[in-house]
Amino acid sequence: MMEDSEAVKAALDRGTIVTDLNAKTKDEVFEALAGRLKEQGYIESVDSFLDALHDREKEGATGIGGHVAIPHGRSDTVRKNGIAIAVLHDEIAWESLDDTGAKVVVLFAVGATDEGSQEHLKLLSLLARRLAKADVVSDLLEASDVDDVIAALTK
């Protein structure tokens, strides 16, 4: 179990985690997180990455239930795989498996290479297991700063 926590911790970047994000729509969340990913050197183009996110959203719901969404964009604009996380000030509308909106968004930026995809799948499964736990989600929903988010996902 310890290795999983370490792998998650290593994948998290304080510069791409936002708490109390005041967004009203999915697009506003995507723009805020894509901006962070660009600032931290994960992606080259915000617009190209937003296109990839929108394309993926058309394929099906990325809300996994319990007010959590895990959207992802796979694109050539991704320099290195990364995760951006937003804890929203208010729940927003989001297509999900249990018809709840989203209040926690864990967004994945994935390189277009096979290697990028393999790495992404490992990380996705690690995080999905954590996000399936009610106590982790409730800690995220209560998170007031970056340290709270990291603690919730690595406990």
Side-chain angles (χ1 to χ4, degrees), residues 34 37 43 45-53 73 77-78 107-110:
L37 287 165
I43 62 174
S45 161
V46 168
D47 289 340
S48 296
F49 187 65
L50 290 173
D51 288 344
L53 285 172
T77 196
V78 176
L107 182 150
F108 291 86
V110 188

Side-chain angles (χ1 to χ4, degrees), residues 64 68 70 104 106 127-133 136-137 140 153:
I64 58 170
V68 178
I70 50 172
V104 174
V106 180
L127 278 163
R129 279 205 298 273
R130 287 191 155 47
L131 294 167
K133 296 178 181 164
V136 170
V137 173
L140 283 172
L153 289 170

Side-chain angles (χ1 to χ4, degrees), residues 8-24:
V8 170
K9 190 171 259 175
L12 298 176
D13 180 335
R14 303 180 67 81
T16 59
I17 298 173
V18 192
T19 55
D20 205 32
L21 180 65
N22 209 348
K24 300 281 175 251

